[in-house]
Amino acid sequence: MPKKSQAIETPRGKRERTFKGLAAAPGIAIGKAYVRFGRHIEVQEYVVAKTKIRGELKRLDAAVNVARRQITSLQERAAGMRGTTGDELVFLFDAYLAMLDDSRLVRGARSIIEEECINAEAAVQREFTALAKRFEAMKDAYIAARLDDIREVASRLIGILVRSPANEPPKTPKGGIIVAEQLSPADMAQIDPESVSAVAAALGGTEGHTAIMARALGLPAVLGAADLLVGVEQSQQIIVDGYSGKIIVNPTPATIKRFEKRQAEKQKRTRALDSLRFEPAQSRDGTIIQLMANVELPVEMENVKQSGAEGVGLLRSEFMFMNRDDIPSEDEQVAILEQIVSVMGMQSVTIRTLDIGGEKPAPALLTEIDEAAVSALGLRGIRLSLANPDTLRTQFRAILRVGVKRNVRILLPMVTTPGEVKRAKKILNEAADELMAEGIALPDPLPPVGVMIEVPGAALTADSLARASDFFAIGSNDLTMYTLAVDRANEHVAHLFNTLHPAVLRLIQFTTQAALRARIPVSICGEIAGDPRYTALLIGLGLHDLSMTASNIPIIKKRIMELDTLAATQRTQQIMEQTDSGRIAMMIDDFNTLA
Ligand code: PEP
Ligand code: MG
């Protein structure tokens, strides 16, 4: 569990401090911290119709609840810290929580909404300004400190209320390292990997989409480093070590030298794999394994081409819906998909329909739906799409238009029943009929429709899902999360997220065998597919189609070229008889060192 920090004196009297978090994306970066706690937000004021005042008050209440959850989570982290800093933070967060309960700030904002009929964020802003004026007039140091606390709570509330995706993300100075309380997948989608060199955050786990996007963008990342809340100042020099999960603040010259050396060695090792790019992924005994790329953002496409990927095994289409208040039009979607699909030529591209929900919100789709309804167990993935059939139809139309004379497949996320597949296929057929009636060209035949197997119930009924669909893609990230009841994006339970748990492996095996029996293609596209430690196990389970972050393709290919698939299959059979994940890990590692 990330916790301890140590301090040493440098010759110049600056303290070097090491913070421990979770290694979320590999790589080492040395640069200046660009701290993004509580960023300034412009508040727009507008009139709200009398009939909508209740809705506006509900928005304020919902924001107060979100703020309460955020602060409680920060407080839990602070409680785990050693020493007085942790105690002080716990105390401070108590004060923030009290302010959310029934303070002048919240009460005042409510009255302003009711009496002046304005939007909630502007009401919070107005009430804060009024309080600030009164407090400043008192010229008392204690009161001034309280005002800072109220400012913190007010900006948090405004930030939640505004969460305006349309706002330009703050620019990070070139080479800067973003340090934040929390980074959402939507924040990651706005990062320019050319100017940012790494990210570090106090919250977040290693398997959430924030971590996945950091890996996809090639940015070293350390998440879940609780002490960061108090430990880093703007523009301080820091090192992010995404291999060990450490953040070093104010490094000494000797530390910098040591990390520069490690950085150079790692880069050399990565370059050594470049020569494999156009080699087939063929095992020692001649088995060909298909290696595909997972794509979350169009900026990754150059890297995908460089990696030698044979196609895109998973295009997470959520990015198109993030950081905006409206739903992208069909033409817009066509233009964005075209950027990705055209790079791959006639290679296969598997486009997953929207997987919004869980940690990935899309404001435009959620306006009518309560936040709780789109939790990880709520209206996520295909459920949200089926609840918004027009949005799904538009997405299908865009995919069909892009798929003409191309090799495109459609993938449905979070499926649990054949009925969901049938309903989605019906909407797809309607979209195709509409396009035909409009004289717009269609792919012939229509693209295959597959399902993600990422819910235990889907894995256990893989036989019936295989009859309803054309292919499977195993999503081991969510399959692990839902099987073990471990939130993949939560740093508190990151140590419990274990894809080697026999329950998860059995579900992967069960699914693979069901697909092989039904003679439909099956791939795996969770993070396990991009880790060479597990390559032999996956091949041994019968998976010959792996999709992963593009930059991992060369190392996986190297592992495949060293492997004998018969030996891998025999070892996997022994592994599948085990009931203890520790023993399974040992048997994998033993096999990897020998073969
Ligand atoms: C998965 O769940 O394994 C998967 C590939 O989908 P995502 O990570 O986008 O949820
Ligand atoms: Mg998933």
Side-chain angles (χ1 to χ4, degrees), residues 503-526:
V504 181
L505 294 183
R506 285 173 196 181
L507 291 173
I508 294 177
Q509 184 182 44
F510 197 85
T511 304
T512 308
Q513 288 179 352
L516 297 176
R517 271 196 308 275
R519 295 179 198 280
I520 62 168
V522 55
S523 64
I524 183 159
C525 55

PDB file of all heavy atoms in Angstrom, residues 503-526:
ATOM      1  N   ALA A 503     -10.536 -17.931 -10.017  1.00  0.00           N
ATOM      2  CA  ALA A 503     -11.909 -17.684 -10.510  1.00  0.00           C
ATOM      3  C   ALA A 503     -11.863 -16.942 -11.843  1.00  0.00           C
ATOM      4  O   ALA A 503     -12.609 -17.260 -12.779  1.00  0.00           O
ATOM      5  CB  ALA A 503     -12.684 -16.863  -9.484  1.00  0.00           C
ATOM      6  N   VAL A 504     -10.957 -15.967 -11.960  1.00  0.00           N
ATOM      7  CA  VAL A 504     -10.858 -15.186 -13.204  1.00  0.00           C
ATOM      8  C   VAL A 504     -10.305 -16.081 -14.320  1.00  0.00           C
ATOM      9  O   VAL A 504     -10.837 -16.108 -15.438  1.00  0.00           O
ATOM     10  CB  VAL A 504      -9.954 -13.940 -13.007  1.00  0.00           C
ATOM     11  CG1 VAL A 504      -9.881 -13.129 -14.296  1.00  0.00           C
ATOM     12  CG2 VAL A 504     -10.459 -13.089 -11.844  1.00  0.00           C
ATOM     13  N   LEU A 505      -9.261 -16.833 -13.988  1.00  0.00           N
ATOM     14  CA  LEU A 505      -8.660 -17.688 -15.027  1.00  0.00           C
ATOM     15  C   LEU A 505      -9.656 -18.721 -15.529  1.00  0.00           C
ATOM     16  O   LEU A 505      -9.726 -19.021 -16.723  1.00  0.00           O
ATOM     17  CB  LEU A 505      -7.406 -18.379 -14.482  1.00  0.00           C
ATOM     18  CG  LEU A 505      -6.236 -17.437 -14.138  1.00  0.00           C
ATOM     19  CD1 LEU A 505      -5.033 -18.232 -13.677  1.00  0.00           C
ATOM     20  CD2 LEU A 505      -5.857 -16.564 -15.335  1.00  0.00           C
ATOM     21  N   ARG A 506     -10.464 -19.255 -14.609  1.00  0.00           N
ATOM     22  CA  ARG A 506     -11.442 -20.266 -15.048  1.00  0.00           C
ATOM     23  C   ARG A 506     -12.489 -19.639 -15.978  1.00  0.00           C
ATOM     24  O   ARG A 506     -12.931 -20.269 -16.936  1.00  0.00           O
ATOM     25  CB  ARG A 506     -12.129 -20.902 -13.838  1.00  0.00           C
ATOM     26  CG  ARG A 506     -11.201 -21.868 -13.137  1.00  0.00           C
ATOM     27  CD  ARG A 506     -11.783 -22.384 -11.857  1.00  0.00           C
ATOM     28  NE  ARG A 506     -10.713 -22.992 -11.069  1.00  0.00           N
ATOM     29  CZ  ARG A 506     -10.894 -23.556  -9.897  1.00  0.00           C
ATOM     30  NH1 ARG A 506     -12.090 -23.608  -9.365  1.00  0.00           N
ATOM     31  NH2 ARG A 506      -9.879 -24.082  -9.247  1.00  0.00           N
ATOM     32  N   LEU A 507     -12.861 -18.400 -15.683  1.00  0.00           N
ATOM     33  CA  LEU A 507     -13.846 -17.741 -16.563  1.00  0.00           C
ATOM     34  C   LEU A 507     -13.234 -17.461 -17.939  1.00  0.00           C
ATOM     35  O   LEU A 507     -13.913 -17.580 -18.965  1.00  0.00           O
ATOM     36  CB  LEU A 507     -14.349 -16.444 -15.914  1.00  0.00           C
ATOM     37  CG  LEU A 507     -15.231 -16.645 -14.677  1.00  0.00           C
ATOM     38  CD1 LEU A 507     -15.534 -15.314 -14.011  1.00  0.00           C
ATOM     39  CD2 LEU A 507     -16.532 -17.365 -15.036  1.00  0.00           C
ATOM     40  N   ILE A 508     -11.957 -17.110 -17.953  1.00  0.00           N
ATOM     41  CA  ILE A 508     -11.296 -16.871 -19.254  1.00  0.00           C
ATOM     42  C   ILE A 508     -11.239 -18.195 -20.028  1.00  0.00           C
ATOM     43  O   ILE A 508     -11.548 -18.256 -21.225  1.00  0.00           O
ATOM     44  CB  ILE A 508      -9.870 -16.286 -19.047  1.00  0.00           C
ATOM     45  CG1 ILE A 508      -9.955 -14.891 -18.428  1.00  0.00           C
ATOM     46  CG2 ILE A 508      -9.102 -16.254 -20.371  1.00  0.00           C
ATOM     47  CD1 ILE A 508      -8.605 -14.246 -18.114  1.00  0.00           C
ATOM     48  N   GLN A 509     -10.892 -19.256 -19.317  1.00  0.00           N
ATOM     49  CA  GLN A 509     -10.806 -20.564 -19.978  1.00  0.00           C
ATOM     50  C   GLN A 509     -12.177 -21.013 -20.496  1.00  0.00           C
ATOM     51  O   GLN A 509     -12.313 -21.453 -21.642  1.00  0.00           O
ATOM     52  CB  GLN A 509     -10.266 -21.593 -18.980  1.00  0.00           C
ATOM     53  CG  GLN A 509     -10.049 -22.966 -19.589  1.00  0.00           C
ATOM     54  CD  GLN A 509      -9.563 -23.963 -18.552  1.00  0.00           C
ATOM     55  OE1 GLN A 509     -10.087 -24.008 -17.435  1.00  0.00           O
ATOM     56  NE2 GLN A 509      -8.566 -24.752 -18.921  1.00  0.00           N
ATOM     57  N   PHE A 510     -13.169 -20.853 -19.666  1.00  0.00           N
ATOM     58  CA  PHE A 510     -14.539 -21.255 -20.013  1.00  0.00           C
ATOM     59  C   PHE A 510     -14.998 -20.517 -21.279  1.00  0.00           C
ATOM     60  O   PHE A 510     -15.559 -21.103 -22.206  1.00  0.00           O
ATOM     61  CB  PHE A 510     -15.439 -20.884 -18.827  1.00  0.00           C
ATOM     62  CG  PHE A 510     -16.770 -21.558 -18.828  1.00  0.00           C
ATOM     63  CD1 PHE A 510     -16.924 -22.828 -18.296  1.00  0.00           C
ATOM     64  CD2 PHE A 510     -17.888 -20.912 -19.352  1.00  0.00           C
ATOM     65  CE1 PHE A 510     -18.169 -23.445 -18.294  1.00  0.00           C
ATOM     66  CE2 PHE A 510     -19.129 -21.528 -19.360  1.00  0.00           C
ATOM     67  CZ  PHE A 510     -19.270 -22.798 -18.829  1.00  0.00           C
ATOM     68  N   THR A 511     -14.727 -19.210 -21.304  1.00  0.00           N
ATOM     69  CA  THR A 511     -15.134 -18.383 -22.451  1.00  0.00           C
ATOM     70  C   THR A 511     -14.405 -18.822 -23.717  1.00  0.00           C
ATOM     71  O   THR A 511     -14.999 -18.964 -24.796  1.00  0.00           O
ATOM     72  CB  THR A 511     -14.789 -16.902 -22.161  1.00  0.00           C
ATOM     73  OG1 THR A 511     -15.413 -16.532 -20.947  1.00  0.00           O
ATOM     74  CG2 THR A 511     -15.245 -15.999 -23.278  1.00  0.00           C
ATOM     75  N   THR A 512     -13.083 -19.026 -23.565  1.00  0.00           N
ATOM     76  CA  THR A 512     -12.278 -19.390 -24.739  1.00  0.00           C
ATOM     77  C   THR A 512     -12.773 -20.717 -25.315  1.00  0.00           C
ATOM     78  O   THR A 512     -12.942 -20.866 -26.533  1.00  0.00           O
ATOM     79  CB  THR A 512     -10.791 -19.499 -24.330  1.00  0.00           C
ATOM     80  OG1 THR A 512     -10.446 -18.308 -23.658  1.00  0.00           O
ATOM     81  CG2 THR A 512      -9.886 -19.686 -25.532  1.00  0.00           C
ATOM     82  N   GLN A 513     -13.035 -21.664 -24.414  1.00  0.00           N
ATOM     83  CA  GLN A 513     -13.481 -22.975 -24.910  1.00  0.00           C
ATOM     84  C   GLN A 513     -14.856 -22.878 -25.572  1.00  0.00           C
ATOM     85  O   GLN A 513     -15.107 -23.536 -26.584  1.00  0.00           O
ATOM     86  CB  GLN A 513     -13.479 -23.980 -23.765  1.00  0.00           C
ATOM     87  CG  GLN A 513     -12.032 -24.328 -23.394  1.00  0.00           C
ATOM     88  CD  GLN A 513     -11.929 -25.303 -22.229  1.00  0.00           C
ATOM     89  OE1 GLN A 513     -12.926 -25.618 -21.582  1.00  0.00           O
ATOM     90  NE2 GLN A 513     -10.718 -25.751 -21.953  1.00  0.00           N
ATOM     91  N   ALA A 514     -15.719 -22.037 -25.008  1.00  0.00           N
ATOM     92  CA  ALA A 514     -17.055 -21.879 -25.619  1.00  0.00           C
ATOM     93  C   ALA A 514     -16.909 -21.298 -27.026  1.00  0.00           C
ATOM     94  O   ALA A 514     -17.604 -21.715 -27.960  1.00  0.00           O
ATOM     95  CB  ALA A 514     -17.921 -20.967 -24.761  1.00  0.00           C
ATOM     96  N   ALA A 515     -16.007 -20.349 -27.192  1.00  0.00           N
ATOM     97  CA  ALA A 515     -15.813 -19.733 -28.513  1.00  0.00           C
ATOM     98  C   ALA A 515     -15.233 -20.753 -29.486  1.00  0.00           C
ATOM     99  O   ALA A 515     -15.661 -20.841 -30.645  1.00  0.00           O
ATOM    100  CB  ALA A 515     -14.896 -18.522 -28.391  1.00  0.00           C
ATOM    101  N   LEU A 516     -14.254 -21.525 -29.000  1.00  0.00           N
ATOM    102  CA  LEU A 516     -13.634 -22.508 -29.889  1.00  0.00           C
ATOM    103  C   LEU A 516     -14.656 -23.552 -30.317  1.00  0.00           C
ATOM    104  O   LEU A 516     -14.717 -23.943 -31.488  1.00  0.00           O
ATOM    105  CB  LEU A 516     -12.415 -23.164 -29.220  1.00  0.00           C
ATOM    106  CG  LEU A 516     -11.251 -22.206 -28.893  1.00  0.00           C
ATOM    107  CD1 LEU A 516     -10.131 -22.925 -28.152  1.00  0.00           C
ATOM    108  CD2 LEU A 516     -10.708 -21.523 -30.140  1.00  0.00           C
ATOM    109  N   ARG A 517     -15.516 -23.970 -29.358  1.00  0.00           N
ATOM    110  CA  ARG A 517     -16.577 -24.957 -29.691  1.00  0.00           C
ATOM    111  C   ARG A 517     -17.547 -24.382 -30.721  1.00  0.00           C
ATOM    112  O   ARG A 517     -17.964 -25.053 -31.648  1.00  0.00           O
ATOM    113  CB  ARG A 517     -17.360 -25.335 -28.438  1.00  0.00           C
ATOM    114  CG  ARG A 517     -16.800 -26.495 -27.662  1.00  0.00           C
ATOM    115  CD  ARG A 517     -17.827 -27.063 -26.677  1.00  0.00           C
ATOM    116  NE  ARG A 517     -18.414 -26.061 -25.809  1.00  0.00           N
ATOM    117  CZ  ARG A 517     -17.859 -25.645 -24.667  1.00  0.00           C
ATOM    118  NH1 ARG A 517     -16.715 -26.160 -24.261  1.00  0.00           N
ATOM    119  NH2 ARG A 517     -18.445 -24.727 -23.937  1.00  0.00           N
ATOM    120  N   ALA A 518     -17.875 -23.097 -30.548  1.00  0.00           N
ATOM    121  CA  ALA A 518     -18.851 -22.473 -31.456  1.00  0.00           C
ATOM    122  C   ALA A 518     -18.177 -22.016 -32.757  1.00  0.00           C
ATOM    123  O   ALA A 518     -18.832 -21.463 -33.640  1.00  0.00           O
ATOM    124  CB  ALA A 518     -19.507 -21.280 -30.768  1.00  0.00           C
ATOM    125  N   ARG A 519     -16.859 -22.198 -32.817  1.00  0.00           N
ATOM    126  CA  ARG A 519     -16.054 -21.785 -33.992  1.00  0.00           C
ATOM    127  C   ARG A 519     -16.217 -20.299 -34.307  1.00  0.00           C
ATOM    128  O   ARG A 519     -16.421 -19.902 -35.452  1.00  0.00           O
ATOM    129  CB  ARG A 519     -16.409 -22.620 -35.229  1.00  0.00           C
ATOM    130  CG  ARG A 519     -16.062 -24.061 -35.065  1.00  0.00           C
ATOM    131  CD  ARG A 519     -16.454 -24.870 -36.292  1.00  0.00           C
ATOM    132  NE  ARG A 519     -16.518 -26.282 -35.964  1.00  0.00           N
ATOM    133  CZ  ARG A 519     -15.459 -27.076 -35.886  1.00  0.00           C
ATOM    134  NH1 ARG A 519     -14.253 -26.595 -36.109  1.00  0.00           N
ATOM    135  NH2 ARG A 519     -15.599 -28.339 -35.578  1.00  0.00           N
ATOM    136  N   ILE A 520     -16.183 -19.501 -33.248  1.00  0.00           N
ATOM    137  CA  ILE A 520     -16.147 -18.054 -33.491  1.00  0.00           C
ATOM    138  C   ILE A 520     -14.804 -17.534 -32.967  1.00  0.00           C
ATOM    139  O   ILE A 520     -14.242 -18.095 -32.023  1.00  0.00           O
ATOM    140  CB  ILE A 520     -17.329 -17.283 -32.824  1.00  0.00           C
ATOM    141  CG1 ILE A 520     -17.309 -17.433 -31.297  1.00  0.00           C
ATOM    142  CG2 ILE A 520     -18.670 -17.694 -33.410  1.00  0.00           C
ATOM    143  CD1 ILE A 520     -18.252 -16.477 -30.580  1.00  0.00           C
ATOM    144  N   PRO A 521     -14.263 -16.466 -33.594  1.00  0.00           N
ATOM    145  CA  PRO A 521     -12.980 -15.943 -33.132  1.00  0.00           C
ATOM    146  C   PRO A 521     -13.075 -15.405 -31.707  1.00  0.00           C
ATOM    147  O   PRO A 521     -14.112 -14.882 -31.296  1.00  0.00           O
ATOM    148  CB  PRO A 521     -12.691 -14.789 -34.103  1.00  0.00           C
ATOM    149  CG  PRO A 521     -13.600 -14.984 -35.257  1.00  0.00           C
ATOM    150  CD  PRO A 521     -14.796 -15.740 -34.754  1.00  0.00           C
ATOM    151  N   VAL A 522     -11.984 -15.570 -30.955  1.00  0.00           N
ATOM    152  CA  VAL A 522     -11.943 -15.037 -29.593  1.00  0.00           C
ATOM    153  C   VAL A 522     -10.585 -14.370 -29.381  1.00  0.00           C
ATOM    154  O   VAL A 522      -9.558 -14.889 -29.772  1.00  0.00           O
ATOM    155  CB  VAL A 522     -12.204 -16.144 -28.535  1.00  0.00           C
ATOM    156  CG1 VAL A 522     -11.258 -17.325 -28.667  1.00  0.00           C
ATOM    157  CG2 VAL A 522     -12.117 -15.567 -27.117  1.00  0.00           C
ATOM    158  N   SER A 523     -10.629 -13.171 -28.805  1.00  0.00           N
ATOM    159  CA  SER A 523      -9.383 -12.454 -28.504  1.00  0.00           C
ATOM    160  C   SER A 523      -9.439 -12.025 -27.052  1.00  0.00           C
ATOM    161  O   SER A 523     -10.487 -12.108 -26.403  1.00  0.00           O
ATOM    162  CB  SER A 523      -9.251 -11.232 -29.405  1.00  0.00           C
ATOM    163  OG  SER A 523     -10.293 -10.331 -29.121  1.00  0.00           O
ATOM    164  N   ILE A 524      -8.315 -11.537 -26.544  1.00  0.00           N
ATOM    165  CA  ILE A 524      -8.320 -10.954 -25.202  1.00  0.00           C
ATOM    166  C   ILE A 524      -7.697  -9.565 -25.303  1.00  0.00           C
ATOM    167  O   ILE A 524      -6.673  -9.380 -25.975  1.00  0.00           O
ATOM    168  CB  ILE A 524      -7.609 -11.871 -24.173  1.00  0.00           C
ATOM    169  CG1 ILE A 524      -7.702 -11.270 -22.762  1.00  0.00           C
ATOM    170  CG2 ILE A 524      -6.165 -12.164 -24.532  1.00  0.00           C
ATOM    171  CD1 ILE A 524      -7.505 -12.289 -21.648  1.00  0.00           C
ATOM    172  N   CYS A 525      -8.367  -8.577 -24.696  1.00  0.00           N
ATOM    173  CA  CYS A 525      -7.886  -7.204 -24.861  1.00  0.00           C
ATOM    174  C   CYS A 525      -7.737  -6.459 -23.539  1.00  0.00           C
ATOM    175  O   CYS A 525      -7.553  -5.257 -23.515  1.00  0.00           O
ATOM    176  CB  CYS A 525      -8.798  -6.435 -25.812  1.00  0.00           C
ATOM    177  SG  CYS A 525     -10.527  -6.448 -25.303  1.00  0.00           S
ATOM    178  N   GLY A 526      -7.801  -7.195 -22.423  1.00  0.00           N
ATOM    179  CA  GLY A 526      -7.531  -6.555 -21.128  1.00  0.00           C
ATOM    180  C   GLY A 526      -6.032  -6.353 -20.975  1.00  0.00           C
ATOM    181  O   GLY A 526      -5.239  -6.813 -21.809  1.00  0.00           O
TER     182      GLY A 526
END
